[in-house]
Amino acid sequence: MSETETRSKAPTPKPWIAAIHAYVPGKSAGKDGRPLIKLSANENPLGTSEAALAAKAKAPSLYPDPDSKDLRARLGDLHGIDPARIVMGTGSDELLNLAAQGFAGLGDEVIYVRYGFSVYDIAARRCGATPVVAPDADYGTDVDALLALVTDKTRVVFVANPNNPTGSFLPRGEIARLHASLPGDVLLVIDQAYGEYVAPEDEDGAMALAAAHDNVLVTRTFSKIFGLAGERIGWGTGAPGIIDTLNRIRGPFNISSTGQAMAAAALEDMAFVERSRAHNRDERARFVEKIVALSNHGLRPLPSQANFVLVLFEGKLSAETAFDGLAERGYIVRWLPNQGLPHGLRITIGHPHDMDAIAEGIREMAEAAR
């Protein structure tokens, strides 16, 4: 082979990897590069617990505990879970990918609902499995539609509860019905990234299912209500066999010493979590009320149990125009044409004055578009 022929060759990715559309994070700047108030990534507007910030300053810079033993023990105490049934991840994203990788592969199928978290498609393709998308029920999860797609090739079913980006929520009975109808060799992954925003009396029963059955994995994160998005800390719980599989393939030292210390301290400050939940509940209700008042302009906020609201633009004002208009007013939100929602904006719940400014901006643009 000539030198020219050698140089013309290059490694070729596997076809299922080449088919992946890379995850697109929420933007923090406008088209002109100007920094904007960021309400596109569902971060906690109250910031981070002072206890967690204090722990950050004391964390060593040595290799971290590879098993996050102290953090798992504290999570176990808080949730009544044996720490041996807890696995840590670099954000819950790592665990979602590992769930697919550990239990699915070429020739297998992974099911999730339309308008579900975009990482599910990536996780399925990354391990060579075929993604199967179930129809939604008015932008929410339809249990019967999911079950109708289960075949002998199905290995994993992903359900986000609350769902991102729509905010929809399946109650306990529907989660139980979904699990009861799945074959025992299908892994049900219940992604609770926004679980702490749900009122405790409304929780979906997923933790109990994970404790009682061999085919349920529940994932959570410190990125949302705990305000530790920059530290990338997620965790999951399930049967020993599931946890063992994920531990075999997760990254070594995947949670930094700083992250472990901050997360452990955050768990000791549940008052901050309660304040964050109350702030979100109250501001979300106020914002939704303002958008509902614009229904005659074709605006519709979807019911949400998370720290964001997906607003549908079904009138003369388009979501794209509103997105650009809000950017001109100093705010960046999430426009989702790549997720089949060109008519929707996902808007993180921020401070009261920010939510008022966004609602007023949308009202002005809607009236101008009449």
Side-chain angles (χ1 to χ4, degrees):
M1 183 179 295
S2 70
E3 183 177 351
T4 301
E5 290 175 319
T6 301
R7 289 180 176 176
S8 68
K9 292 185 176 295
T12 302
K14 295 295 184 183
W16 53 89
I17 299 296
I20 290 175
H21 295 286
Y23 179 77
V24 179
K27 296 179 181 179
S28 56
K31 294 179 179 178
D32 59 359
R34 177 170 54 99
L36 302 174
I37 295 173
K38 186 182 179 185
L39 296 177
S40 60
N42 302 335
E43 294 160 319
N44 188 337
L46 303 188
T48 306
S49 160
E50 290 295 331
L53 293 175
K56 181 177 184 178
K58 300 177 183 178
S61 58
L62 303 173
Y63 274 116
D65 172 8
D67 298 316
S68 303
K69 289 188 290 293
D70 179 62
L71 180 52
R72 288 191 298 111
R74 295 189 189 215
L75 282 167
D77 287 343
L78 179 64
H79 294 282
I81 301 171
D82 179 355
R85 295 174 67 110
I86 295 174
V87 60
M88 305 305 302
T90 307
S92 55
D93 290 2
E94 181 187 23
L95 299 175
L96 299 174
N97 277 284
L98 294 180
Q101 182 182 348
F103 295 93
L106 286 173
D108 296 330
E109 294 177 346
V110 172
I111 302 176
Y112 55 90
V113 69
R114 182 167 52 193
Y115 310 126
F117 187 31
S118 58
V119 163
Y120 303 151
D121 183 83
I122 294 173
R125 296 181 189 276
R126 184 177 177 182
C127 66
T130 300
V132 178
V133 182
D136 62 291
D138 194 23
Y139 300 92
T141 301
D142 184 329
V143 168
D144 292 314
L146 285 170
L147 292 173
L149 293 174
V150 174
T151 71
D152 58 2
K153 295 181 179 180
T154 304
R155 292 294 173 267
V156 179
V157 174
F158 284 114
V159 173
N161 209 39
N163 185 51
N164 176 24
T166 66
S168 63
F169 183 74
L170 281 181
R172 176 189 293 260
E174 285 297 274
I175 290 289
R177 185 168 73 88
L178 171 61
H179 173 259
S181 301
L182 288 174
D185 61 352
V186 172
L187 176 65
L188 174 60
V189 180
I190 304 172
D191 173 2
Q192 292 188 335
Y194 301 90
E196 287 88 357
Y197 284 107
V198 178
E201 62 270 21
D202 295 330
E203 66 95 13
D204 63 11
M207 291 284 193
L209 287 177
H213 300 278
D214 291 334
N215 66 332
V216 179
L217 173 69
V218 176
T219 62
R220 287 201 173 187
T221 183
F222 283 85
S223 295
K224 304 305 178 185
I225 207 167
F226 289 99
L228 295 175
E231 300 303 319
R232 310 306 302 128
I233 311 162
W235 65 280
T237 183
I242 296 173
I243 301 306
D244 176 67
T245 297
L246 301 192
N247 272 322
R248 289 171 183 268
I249 55 179
R250 68 172 171 84
F253 306 108
N254 59 342
I255 310 297
S256 70
S257 295
T258 301
Q260 291 183 40
M262 292 183 75
L267 292 176
E268 299 300 317
D269 188 4
M270 295 307 290
F272 174 81
V273 172
E274 292 294 338
R275 286 197 306 275
S276 297
R277 183 186 297 119
H279 169 89
N280 183 74
R281 180 194 63 230
D282 295 344
E283 288 308 311
R284 185 180 63 202
R286 280 200 329 113
F287 179 68
V288 165
E289 183 178 6
K290 290 177 180 290
I291 300 302
V292 167
L294 299 173
S295 60
N296 60 320
H297 293 290
L299 285 145
R300 177 161 70 107
L302 294 181
S304 175
Q305 288 272 20
N307 68 335
F308 59 83
V309 174
L310 183 66
V311 179
L312 302 181
F313 291 74
E314 300 171 327
K316 291 186 178 180
L317 176 64
S318 71
E320 181 178 12
T321 298
F323 174 82
D324 291 337
L326 290 175
E328 291 173 1
R329 289 166 169 80
Y331 294 93
I332 191 77
V333 296
R334 192 73 183 266
W335 181 41
L336 298 161
N338 292 335
Q339 288 185 247
L341 291 165
H343 56 301
L345 294 182
R346 192 192 68 186
I347 302 173
T348 303
I349 301 302
H351 295 289
H353 60 276
D354 293 325
M355 304 316 296
D356 289 343
I358 288 174
E360 178 61 17
I362 292 175
R363 185 192 65 78
E364 291 173 355
M365 289 184 281
E367 292 185 349
R370 294 180 69 173

